[in-house]
Amino acid sequence: MLKVSNLTKKFQSGDDIVTAVDNISLFVPSGVFSTIIGKSGSGKSTLLSLLGALDRPTSGTIDVDGQ
């Protein structure tokens, strides 16, 4: 089971702050296959990096099987 609540990731780019993932919430039950689709630059790779624990979110929570 995957539960994502209010996930946000922001990056500093020079003097600007870029919001790559903005307040995403989703639930994927165990045994369900899901895909993430979107335009180039929409935050898909950043979201997957967060879900795979390769990066830390600015805010929000990621729960995988209760942890």
Side-chain angles (χ1 to χ4, degrees), residues 5 10 15-16 18 24-25 31 34 36-38 40-41 43 50 53 56 58 66-67:
S5 300
K10 296 182 179 187
D15 292 335
D16 298 325
V18 177
I24 300 291
S25 294
S34 295
I36 298 171
I37 60 173
S40 178
L50 294 168
R56 297 178 62 103
T58 304
Q67 296 187 357

Side-chain angles (χ1 to χ4, degrees), residues 2 4 7 21 24 26 28 33-39 42-52:
L2 172 67
V4 176
L7 198 66
V21 174
I24 300 291
L26 64 96
V28 182
F33 179 82
S34 295
T35 62
I36 298 171
I37 60 173
K39 293 181 179 182
S42 64
K44 299 177 304 292
S45 295
T46 302
L47 177 59
L48 290 173
S49 291
L50 294 168
L51 296 178

